[in-house]
Amino acid sequence: MSCATARRVISNNRSCIKDPYDYLQLLEACRASESLKHSKTVHQHLIKNDNSYKNSPIILGELTLLYITCSELRLARRVFNTIPNPEKKSKVILWNQMIRAYAWDGPFEEAIELYFEMVELGMTPTKHTYPFVLKACAGLQDKENCMKIHEHVKRAGLEFDVYICTALIDSYVKCGCLVEARKMFDNMSNRDVVAWNAMISGFSLHGLYGEMIELVVEMQEMGLSPNSSTIVAVLPTIGEAKALTQGKAVHGYCVRRSFHSALMVRTGLLDMYGKCSRLLYARRIFDVMGVKNEVTWSAMIGACITCDSTTDALRLYNQMFVEDSVSPSSVTIGTVLRACAKLTDLNIGRQIHGYITKSGSVLDVMVGNSLLSMYSKCGVIDDTMKVFDEMASKDTVSYSAIISGYVQNGNAEEALQVFQKMQFSGINPDSATLIGFLPACSQLSALQHGACGHSYSIVCGFTTDISICNALIDMYAKCGKIDVARLVFDRMHKKDIVSWNAMIVGYAIHGLGMQALTLFHDMQNLGLRPDDVTFIGLLSACSHSGLVNEGKHWYISMSQDFNIVPRMEHYLCMTDLLGRAGLLDEAHIFIQGMPFESDVRVWSALLAACRIHKNVELGEEASNKIQSLGPESTGNFVLLSNLYSASGRWDDAAHVRVVQKDWGFKKSPGCSWVEINGVVHAFMGGDRSHPQSSLINLKLEELMIEMRKLGYQSEPSFVYQDVEEEEKEQILVYHSEKLAVAFAMLSLSPNKPILVTKNLRVCGDCHAALKYITIISKREITVRDASRFHHFRDGFCNCGDFW
């Protein structure tokens, strides 16, 4: 019966359908035309009018095949389940068709479930069953079931069948079982090009460039020529390895074999050239392509981003809509969002987010993660969190993106909260998560959290990762444990320049200038070449330790011996070095001799030095320069106001505060925080909001009595307000760092060291008071302020009152 005849029979008098043979002919005609509408009509007629035929296993089998052909697996499964078991057991081909359909279109779990149901019924799978179910295992990366099915293959005596062996190899490599796959491959007596491609694809999938190339060479030595599928498999790994010479050789082979005209091969070639940073080559291939699919556009956009032509990537994205009317996939959208993040182009990023919403697309994990990264890098943390909350499913990358976003935008406490939420959700942090998490510990001086992160890294084997060790060095250094940071550094099997720089900067912020210089010499003795960041750390170390001559020497050596052109950060360090040492005029001349205009930070360093050494005249000049450049923060107003206050010029100090208000800057209140048993407690100056405030104040009063007995006298000059001396003393008592120390003394066991972090520079009165408190409490106190670490012990500070 032809398709046209079938349609007439269905649409006209259905009474002409007289026996099962008529139904079978109709169903066969519907299968040929793949007409779902007519298929349903026949099925409906069968149910309503022919009770004698509707349970016929033959007709139900044909209906199942019909729905499979029409890609209606849900209906196919429903009909399939109605076939009585005795008859169903004889229809191995029908089972194979159902398993095959699920293996291709999903859900993959259904293919595996059907296979095991088939086995439980006592049916014998054929050699055609295994490749389909193994494909489903590969899609799910289901190693356990793959190995079970392998055992079934052995029992069936089919382990040397080339098609089944190839399917097993493919499944094993996609499950990450390369050893099993290679063993299977080596035991094959007859290997065709598909089997070779399965093994080559496995090595390529796991980025094993060397092994992959060896296998391709071995394949040719065995007399088999790579086909277009081989080329498509090897190109991504060649690109990842940046093996341009090998990539060009493959391109030449494609031209000789006329593979280069195939869409997938061309797309693979342009992707390979992009990853090898040869954007011109990639663009040439792209421009001559007559047909481009979504993968091609995505590869070209990705190539532009890899080669830092981010603007071109966004232009291509718009061109894709205009020229080809291609609907971007989640991969393309994710790639373009990466470009927006790189350019911090919030406008286009929002447009793409709008497109996703309007198109009704589900916010899948990959696109959601790309949005998180884009919003966080653009500094829009509220939108980042909104996207995070809207995501139905989240993975490690999602949590890593939100944690890094919070840290980059100065919300370290929120980053720790998200990290804890991640653990409660049952998602295990990976190395990328920890690289985002550890800087949050650094910012908050949350040593206990950081140490737990270190322990977790050891258990998971992440400490072999240089980036993790570098983050640990930075974390321990900024949590006051410079000795532990050095232990991590010394135990690293391999170090990069970042490792050395992190350790030198760590010594710098602890005021350990000589140790920083020694480490710098060790670095040179090993033949490692310092970079510009190394000298920033070195000059900063000299500045914090008062090593003026050494700082001058290395500043000159940097350009003369290492050919490093000083940038703004180096000039800032030198200004700070000279200013702290009281060489204000020399610092001023140094700034004036800079080859380019100094920025606000350099003049701020001079102003800070003027405040320390009470040089009002030069301080005013520095302040005027800052005003002309446009102050970046309230700190410069505060420095000048404090300089006037320290000199008793209260009216001038008040005027500066008025100007500060007119410019729209608010003074940052002094804030200190301390970690107790994994909980970070924050205190503001004069803070009475803490639950233990009354006990803290009582402890401070007790300390003040003991301190006065030892000779302590408050230093009212550090209160920059025109109030009575007695009131100044009260203000000084409740500075945030004193409150934090008192709380720590109440909360920690005796003799346990205390670490307090402050957002501003520690004041002179608190600095003096903490020396006395170490004598009274017989414990070490470390304060990390905005400038450096102060280690107080037995009435002394390691800064030598030079900060």
Side-chain angles (χ1 to χ4, degrees), residues 36-61:
L36 180 62
K37 178 185 174 183
H38 292 135
S39 304
K40 287 183 175 180
T41 303
V42 174
H43 192 181
Q44 186 180 35
H45 182 273
L46 180 68
I47 293 169
K48 286 183 177 179
N49 301 308
D50 286 305
N51 290 328
S52 57
Y53 304 146
K54 68 180 180 183
N55 294 322
S56 165
I58 297 173
I59 291 175
L60 290 174

PDB file of all heavy atoms in Angstrom, residues 36-61:
ATOM      1  N   LEU A  36       3.527  11.250  11.964  1.00  0.00           N
ATOM      2  CA  LEU A  36       3.056  11.021  13.325  1.00  0.00           C
ATOM      3  C   LEU A  36       1.536  11.186  13.421  1.00  0.00           C
ATOM      4  O   LEU A  36       0.855  10.416  14.105  1.00  0.00           O
ATOM      5  CB  LEU A  36       3.758  11.991  14.291  1.00  0.00           C
ATOM      6  CG  LEU A  36       3.363  11.863  15.761  1.00  0.00           C
ATOM      7  CD1 LEU A  36       3.724  10.497  16.315  1.00  0.00           C
ATOM      8  CD2 LEU A  36       4.047  12.965  16.585  1.00  0.00           C
ATOM      9  N   LYS A  37       1.023  12.179  12.688  1.00  0.00           N
ATOM     10  CA  LYS A  37      -0.419  12.446  12.726  1.00  0.00           C
ATOM     11  C   LYS A  37      -1.209  11.221  12.272  1.00  0.00           C
ATOM     12  O   LYS A  37      -2.141  10.759  12.935  1.00  0.00           O
ATOM     13  CB  LYS A  37      -0.743  13.646  11.832  1.00  0.00           C
ATOM     14  CG  LYS A  37      -2.220  13.980  11.760  1.00  0.00           C
ATOM     15  CD  LYS A  37      -2.452  15.113  10.760  1.00  0.00           C
ATOM     16  CE  LYS A  37      -3.949  15.348  10.578  1.00  0.00           C
ATOM     17  NZ  LYS A  37      -4.212  16.385   9.556  1.00  0.00           N
ATOM     18  N   HIS A  38      -0.836  10.660  11.106  1.00  0.00           N
ATOM     19  CA  HIS A  38      -1.557   9.504  10.583  1.00  0.00           C
ATOM     20  C   HIS A  38      -1.319   8.262  11.438  1.00  0.00           C
ATOM     21  O   HIS A  38      -2.198   7.404  11.577  1.00  0.00           O
ATOM     22  CB  HIS A  38      -1.162   9.242   9.128  1.00  0.00           C
ATOM     23  CG  HIS A  38      -1.635  10.326   8.198  1.00  0.00           C
ATOM     24  ND1 HIS A  38      -0.828  10.865   7.229  1.00  0.00           N
ATOM     25  CD2 HIS A  38      -2.828  10.973   8.112  1.00  0.00           C
ATOM     26  CE1 HIS A  38      -1.499  11.798   6.571  1.00  0.00           C
ATOM     27  NE2 HIS A  38      -2.715  11.878   7.095  1.00  0.00           N
ATOM     28  N   SER A  39      -0.122   8.186  12.038  1.00  0.00           N
ATOM     29  CA  SER A  39       0.179   7.063  12.926  1.00  0.00           C
ATOM     30  C   SER A  39      -0.789   7.055  14.106  1.00  0.00           C
ATOM     31  O   SER A  39      -1.339   6.008  14.483  1.00  0.00           O
ATOM     32  CB  SER A  39       1.613   7.153  13.443  1.00  0.00           C
ATOM     33  OG  SER A  39       2.520   7.222  12.376  1.00  0.00           O
ATOM     34  N   LYS A  40      -1.002   8.226  14.688  1.00  0.00           N
ATOM     35  CA  LYS A  40      -1.902   8.330  15.837  1.00  0.00           C
ATOM     36  C   LYS A  40      -3.343   8.017  15.434  1.00  0.00           C
ATOM     37  O   LYS A  40      -4.116   7.437  16.209  1.00  0.00           O
ATOM     38  CB  LYS A  40      -1.802   9.725  16.456  1.00  0.00           C
ATOM     39  CG  LYS A  40      -0.512   9.966  17.235  1.00  0.00           C
ATOM     40  CD  LYS A  40      -0.513  11.344  17.889  1.00  0.00           C
ATOM     41  CE  LYS A  40       0.708  11.535  18.766  1.00  0.00           C
ATOM     42  NZ  LYS A  40       0.722  12.870  19.421  1.00  0.00           N
ATOM     43  N   THR A  41      -3.692   8.411  14.205  1.00  0.00           N
ATOM     44  CA  THR A  41      -5.061   8.143  13.719  1.00  0.00           C
ATOM     45  C   THR A  41      -5.304   6.641  13.603  1.00  0.00           C
ATOM     46  O   THR A  41      -6.355   6.126  14.021  1.00  0.00           O
ATOM     47  CB  THR A  41      -5.289   8.824  12.359  1.00  0.00           C
ATOM     48  OG1 THR A  41      -5.036  10.220  12.487  1.00  0.00           O
ATOM     49  CG2 THR A  41      -6.723   8.627  11.889  1.00  0.00           C
ATOM     50  N   VAL A  42      -4.331   5.929  13.029  1.00  0.00           N
ATOM     51  CA  VAL A  42      -4.450   4.473  12.903  1.00  0.00           C
ATOM     52  C   VAL A  42      -4.536   3.831  14.283  1.00  0.00           C
ATOM     53  O   VAL A  42      -5.361   2.942  14.541  1.00  0.00           O
ATOM     54  CB  VAL A  42      -3.262   3.893  12.104  1.00  0.00           C
ATOM     55  CG1 VAL A  42      -3.305   2.362  12.104  1.00  0.00           C
ATOM     56  CG2 VAL A  42      -3.256   4.422  10.689  1.00  0.00           C
ATOM     57  N   HIS A  43      -3.673   4.298  15.192  1.00  0.00           N
ATOM     58  CA  HIS A  43      -3.633   3.763  16.551  1.00  0.00           C
ATOM     59  C   HIS A  43      -4.985   3.987  17.246  1.00  0.00           C
ATOM     60  O   HIS A  43      -5.539   3.088  17.903  1.00  0.00           O
ATOM     61  CB  HIS A  43      -2.505   4.426  17.341  1.00  0.00           C
ATOM     62  CG  HIS A  43      -2.196   3.756  18.642  1.00  0.00           C
ATOM     63  ND1 HIS A  43      -1.237   4.217  19.505  1.00  0.00           N
ATOM     64  CD2 HIS A  43      -2.728   2.645  19.242  1.00  0.00           C
ATOM     65  CE1 HIS A  43      -1.184   3.447  20.567  1.00  0.00           C
ATOM     66  NE2 HIS A  43      -2.083   2.472  20.434  1.00  0.00           N
ATOM     67  N   GLN A  44      -5.525   5.190  17.063  1.00  0.00           N
ATOM     68  CA  GLN A  44      -6.817   5.532  17.681  1.00  0.00           C
ATOM     69  C   GLN A  44      -7.934   4.622  17.140  1.00  0.00           C
ATOM     70  O   GLN A  44      -8.768   4.109  17.894  1.00  0.00           O
ATOM     71  CB  GLN A  44      -7.139   7.004  17.396  1.00  0.00           C
ATOM     72  CG  GLN A  44      -8.375   7.518  18.113  1.00  0.00           C
ATOM     73  CD  GLN A  44      -8.623   8.982  17.784  1.00  0.00           C
ATOM     74  OE1 GLN A  44      -8.355   9.414  16.661  1.00  0.00           O
ATOM     75  NE2 GLN A  44      -9.132   9.716  18.744  1.00  0.00           N
ATOM     76  N   HIS A  45      -7.941   4.421  15.816  1.00  0.00           N
ATOM     77  CA  HIS A  45      -8.947   3.555  15.183  1.00  0.00           C
ATOM     78  C   HIS A  45      -8.838   2.127  15.723  1.00  0.00           C
ATOM     79  O   HIS A  45      -9.845   1.454  15.996  1.00  0.00           O
ATOM     80  CB  HIS A  45      -8.759   3.568  13.665  1.00  0.00           C
ATOM     81  CG  HIS A  45      -9.779   2.748  12.937  1.00  0.00           C
ATOM     82  ND1 HIS A  45      -9.607   1.390  12.708  1.00  0.00           N
ATOM     83  CD2 HIS A  45     -10.989   3.076  12.409  1.00  0.00           C
ATOM     84  CE1 HIS A  45     -10.651   0.916  12.065  1.00  0.00           C
ATOM     85  NE2 HIS A  45     -11.514   1.927  11.858  1.00  0.00           N
ATOM     86  N   LEU A  46      -7.623   1.676  15.887  1.00  0.00           N
ATOM     87  CA  LEU A  46      -7.373   0.329  16.378  1.00  0.00           C
ATOM     88  C   LEU A  46      -7.960   0.146  17.780  1.00  0.00           C
ATOM     89  O   LEU A  46      -8.627  -0.845  18.073  1.00  0.00           O
ATOM     90  CB  LEU A  46      -5.869   0.063  16.383  1.00  0.00           C
ATOM     91  CG  LEU A  46      -5.393  -1.313  16.860  1.00  0.00           C
ATOM     92  CD1 LEU A  46      -5.816  -2.386  15.876  1.00  0.00           C
ATOM     93  CD2 LEU A  46      -3.879  -1.312  17.006  1.00  0.00           C
ATOM     94  N   ILE A  47      -7.729   1.139  18.640  1.00  0.00           N
ATOM     95  CA  ILE A  47      -8.207   1.045  20.027  1.00  0.00           C
ATOM     96  C   ILE A  47      -9.738   1.083  20.085  1.00  0.00           C
ATOM     97  O   ILE A  47     -10.373   0.317  20.805  1.00  0.00           O
ATOM     98  CB  ILE A  47      -7.606   2.187  20.875  1.00  0.00           C
ATOM     99  CG1 ILE A  47      -6.093   1.991  21.014  1.00  0.00           C
ATOM    100  CG2 ILE A  47      -8.255   2.252  22.256  1.00  0.00           C
ATOM    101  CD1 ILE A  47      -5.364   3.167  21.593  1.00  0.00           C
ATOM    102  N   LYS A  48     -10.340   1.986  19.292  1.00  0.00           N
ATOM    103  CA  LYS A  48     -11.791   2.192  19.371  1.00  0.00           C
ATOM    104  C   LYS A  48     -12.601   1.090  18.704  1.00  0.00           C
ATOM    105  O   LYS A  48     -13.666   0.696  19.173  1.00  0.00           O
ATOM    106  CB  LYS A  48     -12.158   3.535  18.732  1.00  0.00           C
ATOM    107  CG  LYS A  48     -11.791   4.735  19.582  1.00  0.00           C
ATOM    108  CD  LYS A  48     -12.257   6.012  18.906  1.00  0.00           C
ATOM    109  CE  LYS A  48     -11.964   7.243  19.769  1.00  0.00           C
ATOM    110  NZ  LYS A  48     -12.401   8.478  19.094  1.00  0.00           N
ATOM    111  N   ASN A  49     -12.114   0.571  17.569  1.00  0.00           N
ATOM    112  CA  ASN A  49     -12.971  -0.274  16.726  1.00  0.00           C
ATOM    113  C   ASN A  49     -12.571  -1.738  16.640  1.00  0.00           C
ATOM    114  O   ASN A  49     -13.378  -2.559  16.217  1.00  0.00           O
ATOM    115  CB  ASN A  49     -13.021   0.305  15.308  1.00  0.00           C
ATOM    116  CG  ASN A  49     -13.558   1.726  15.308  1.00  0.00           C
ATOM    117  OD1 ASN A  49     -14.624   1.979  15.860  1.00  0.00           O
ATOM    118  ND2 ASN A  49     -12.807   2.634  14.709  1.00  0.00           N
ATOM    119  N   ASP A  50     -11.332  -2.055  16.963  1.00  0.00           N
ATOM    120  CA  ASP A  50     -10.900  -3.428  16.710  1.00  0.00           C
ATOM    121  C   ASP A  50     -10.331  -4.077  17.964  1.00  0.00           C
ATOM    122  O   ASP A  50      -9.119  -4.169  18.152  1.00  0.00           O
ATOM    123  CB  ASP A  50      -9.844  -3.458  15.585  1.00  0.00           C
ATOM    124  CG  ASP A  50     -10.475  -3.222  14.230  1.00  0.00           C
ATOM    125  OD1 ASP A  50     -11.407  -3.947  13.881  1.00  0.00           O
ATOM    126  OD2 ASP A  50     -10.014  -2.283  13.548  1.00  0.00           O
ATOM    127  N   ASN A  51     -11.239  -4.491  18.839  1.00  0.00           N
ATOM    128  CA  ASN A  51     -10.812  -5.122  20.082  1.00  0.00           C
ATOM    129  C   ASN A  51     -10.035  -6.415  19.835  1.00  0.00           C
ATOM    130  O   ASN A  51      -9.183  -6.805  20.623  1.00  0.00           O
ATOM    131  CB  ASN A  51     -12.021  -5.430  20.971  1.00  0.00           C
ATOM    132  CG  ASN A  51     -12.642  -4.155  21.523  1.00  0.00           C
ATOM    133  OD1 ASN A  51     -11.921  -3.198  21.752  1.00  0.00           O
ATOM    134  ND2 ASN A  51     -13.952  -4.136  21.715  1.00  0.00           N
ATOM    135  N   SER A  52     -10.328  -7.053  18.718  1.00  0.00           N
ATOM    136  CA  SER A  52      -9.690  -8.340  18.426  1.00  0.00           C
ATOM    137  C   SER A  52      -8.225  -8.179  18.009  1.00  0.00           C
ATOM    138  O   SER A  52      -7.438  -9.113  18.126  1.00  0.00           O
ATOM    139  CB  SER A  52     -10.453  -9.075  17.329  1.00  0.00           C
ATOM    140  OG  SER A  52     -10.533  -8.254  16.166  1.00  0.00           O
ATOM    141  N   TYR A  53      -7.898  -6.997  17.481  1.00  0.00           N
ATOM    142  CA  TYR A  53      -6.532  -6.792  16.963  1.00  0.00           C
ATOM    143  C   TYR A  53      -5.658  -5.910  17.861  1.00  0.00           C
ATOM    144  O   TYR A  53      -4.442  -5.905  17.711  1.00  0.00           O
ATOM    145  CB  TYR A  53      -6.577  -6.143  15.573  1.00  0.00           C
ATOM    146  CG  TYR A  53      -7.383  -6.914  14.556  1.00  0.00           C
ATOM    147  CD1 TYR A  53      -8.105  -6.240  13.574  1.00  0.00           C
ATOM    148  CD2 TYR A  53      -7.400  -8.309  14.565  1.00  0.00           C
ATOM    149  CE1 TYR A  53      -8.838  -6.940  12.631  1.00  0.00           C
ATOM    150  CE2 TYR A  53      -8.142  -9.022  13.628  1.00  0.00           C
ATOM    151  CZ  TYR A  53      -8.865  -8.329  12.666  1.00  0.00           C
ATOM    152  OH  TYR A  53      -9.586  -9.021  11.754  1.00  0.00           O
ATOM    153  N   LYS A  54      -6.283  -5.131  18.757  1.00  0.00           N
ATOM    154  CA  LYS A  54      -5.496  -4.102  19.467  1.00  0.00           C
ATOM    155  C   LYS A  54      -4.448  -4.688  20.418  1.00  0.00           C
ATOM    156  O   LYS A  54      -3.507  -4.010  20.799  1.00  0.00           O
ATOM    157  CB  LYS A  54      -6.408  -3.144  20.225  1.00  0.00           C
ATOM    158  CG  LYS A  54      -7.147  -3.761  21.407  1.00  0.00           C
ATOM    159  CD  LYS A  54      -8.026  -2.709  22.072  1.00  0.00           C
ATOM    160  CE  LYS A  54      -8.779  -3.288  23.274  1.00  0.00           C
ATOM    161  NZ  LYS A  54      -9.668  -2.271  23.859  1.00  0.00           N
ATOM    162  N   ASN A  55      -4.613  -5.982  20.792  1.00  0.00           N
ATOM    163  CA  ASN A  55      -3.617  -6.626  21.651  1.00  0.00           C
ATOM    164  C   ASN A  55      -2.699  -7.567  20.883  1.00  0.00           C
ATOM    165  O   ASN A  55      -1.965  -8.348  21.486  1.00  0.00           O
ATOM    166  CB  ASN A  55      -4.315  -7.388  22.780  1.00  0.00           C
ATOM    167  CG  ASN A  55      -5.037  -6.451  23.735  1.00  0.00           C
ATOM    168  OD1 ASN A  55      -4.534  -5.370  24.026  1.00  0.00           O
ATOM    169  ND2 ASN A  55      -6.212  -6.850  24.201  1.00  0.00           N
ATOM    170  N   SER A  56      -2.775  -7.479  19.558  1.00  0.00           N
ATOM    171  CA  SER A  56      -1.935  -8.351  18.738  1.00  0.00           C
ATOM    172  C   SER A  56      -0.460  -7.975  18.904  1.00  0.00           C
ATOM    173  O   SER A  56      -0.073  -6.831  18.640  1.00  0.00           O
ATOM    174  CB  SER A  56      -2.337  -8.210  17.266  1.00  0.00           C
ATOM    175  OG  SER A  56      -1.339  -8.767  16.432  1.00  0.00           O
ATOM    176  N   PRO A  57       0.397  -8.910  19.351  1.00  0.00           N
ATOM    177  CA  PRO A  57       1.826  -8.611  19.533  1.00  0.00           C
ATOM    178  C   PRO A  57       2.484  -8.095  18.257  1.00  0.00           C
ATOM    179  O   PRO A  57       3.359  -7.234  18.309  1.00  0.00           O
ATOM    180  CB  PRO A  57       2.426  -9.957  19.959  1.00  0.00           C
ATOM    181  CG  PRO A  57       1.284 -10.715  20.537  1.00  0.00           C
ATOM    182  CD  PRO A  57       0.078 -10.298  19.754  1.00  0.00           C
ATOM    183  N   ILE A  58       2.038  -8.626  17.101  1.00  0.00           N
ATOM    184  CA  ILE A  58       2.640  -8.194  15.834  1.00  0.00           C
ATOM    185  C   ILE A  58       2.322  -6.725  15.571  1.00  0.00           C
ATOM    186  O   ILE A  58       3.202  -5.925  15.225  1.00  0.00           O
ATOM    187  CB  ILE A  58       2.133  -9.072  14.663  1.00  0.00           C
ATOM    188  CG1 ILE A  58       2.567 -10.520  14.864  1.00  0.00           C
ATOM    189  CG2 ILE A  58       2.645  -8.545  13.329  1.00  0.00           C
ATOM    190  CD1 ILE A  58       1.987 -11.495  13.868  1.00  0.00           C
ATOM    191  N   ILE A  59       1.032  -6.360  15.748  1.00  0.00           N
ATOM    192  CA  ILE A  59       0.609  -4.972  15.502  1.00  0.00           C
ATOM    193  C   ILE A  59       1.239  -4.033  16.528  1.00  0.00           C
ATOM    194  O   ILE A  59       1.720  -2.943  16.190  1.00  0.00           O
ATOM    195  CB  ILE A  59      -0.924  -4.862  15.510  1.00  0.00           C
ATOM    196  CG1 ILE A  59      -1.499  -5.567  14.271  1.00  0.00           C
ATOM    197  CG2 ILE A  59      -1.371  -3.408  15.549  1.00  0.00           C
ATOM    198  CD1 ILE A  59      -2.998  -5.644  14.224  1.00  0.00           C
ATOM    199  N   LEU A  60       1.272  -4.457  17.806  1.00  0.00           N
ATOM    200  CA  LEU A  60       1.884  -3.618  18.841  1.00  0.00           C
ATOM    201  C   LEU A  60       3.375  -3.421  18.560  1.00  0.00           C
ATOM    202  O   LEU A  60       3.924  -2.330  18.792  1.00  0.00           O
ATOM    203  CB  LEU A  60       1.688  -4.262  20.218  1.00  0.00           C
ATOM    204  CG  LEU A  60       0.248  -4.258  20.749  1.00  0.00           C
ATOM    205  CD1 LEU A  60       0.160  -5.054  22.052  1.00  0.00           C
ATOM    206  CD2 LEU A  60      -0.250  -2.825  20.972  1.00  0.00           C
ATOM    207  N   GLY A  61       4.020  -4.467  18.059  1.00  0.00           N
ATOM    208  CA  GLY A  61       5.437  -4.334  17.698  1.00  0.00           C
ATOM    209  C   GLY A  61       5.644  -3.335  16.586  1.00  0.00           C
ATOM    210  O   GLY A  61       6.565  -2.503  16.623  1.00  0.00           O
TER     211      GLY A  61
END
